[in-house]
Amino acid sequence: MKSSLVLNALLLSACATQRTVPHPPPDMVVHYADLSLETPAGRAKLVERLDQATRYFCAAYDPQDETAIFDPHLASARYCRGYATILLLNRAPAAVRRAYRESVGNK
């Protein structure tokens, strides 16, 4: 009798607790294939798209989401867009990083 009571309690507690696998923040995507990164206008459009992507990302990132991997840089409203920009550019090809730096450096 005791063992069935313990077994039932264990089964109920297993059903009550949700086990979720932490997931990373969502990906940011910036399309640039249609831009001419050799021109100032193309580079300016790249910066505009990147800024828009990080703005949307930081507005959607929820540091209170228990299923998301917490990142203190992204959780900070002050630093989120800058850190998101770094994350995005780290995955970009060298030509895109160079075009972004040239455009930002000219401002």
Side-chain angles (χ1 to χ4, degrees):
M1 177 72 177
K2 239 184 185 180
S3 63
S4 67
L5 186 60
V6 171
L7 180 61
N8 286 338
L10 286 173
L11 289 173
L12 283 174
S13 67
C15 293
T17 56
Q18 259 189 348
R19 294 187 182 207
T20 56
V21 177
H23 60 83
D27 280 338
M28 293 171 281
V29 177
V30 175
H31 299 283
Y32 59 86
D34 62 325
L35 301 177
S36 176
L37 299 179
E38 300 80 31
T39 66
R43 290 190 297 265
K45 189 68 174 171
L46 173 69
V47 171
E48 180 184 315
R49 289 180 186 179
L50 198 137
D51 286 345
Q52 183 180 18
T54 59
R55 194 175 327 113
Y56 288 149
F57 173 83
C58 290
Y61 180 72
D62 181 9
Q64 303 301 319
D65 180 359
E66 294 177 2
T67 63
I69 294 174
F70 179 77
D71 188 323
H73 297 98
L74 293 173
S76 167
R78 182 176 184 184
Y79 299 114
C80 183
R81 288 188 57 205
Y83 189 67
T85 300
I86 291 169
L87 291 176
L88 188 58
L89 288 174
N90 280 342
R91 294 188 331 227
V96 173
R97 290 193 305 269
R98 187 172 33 258
Y100 179 82
R101 280 194 309 270
E102 287 176 13
S103 184
V104 172
N106 291 334
K107 289 184 178 182

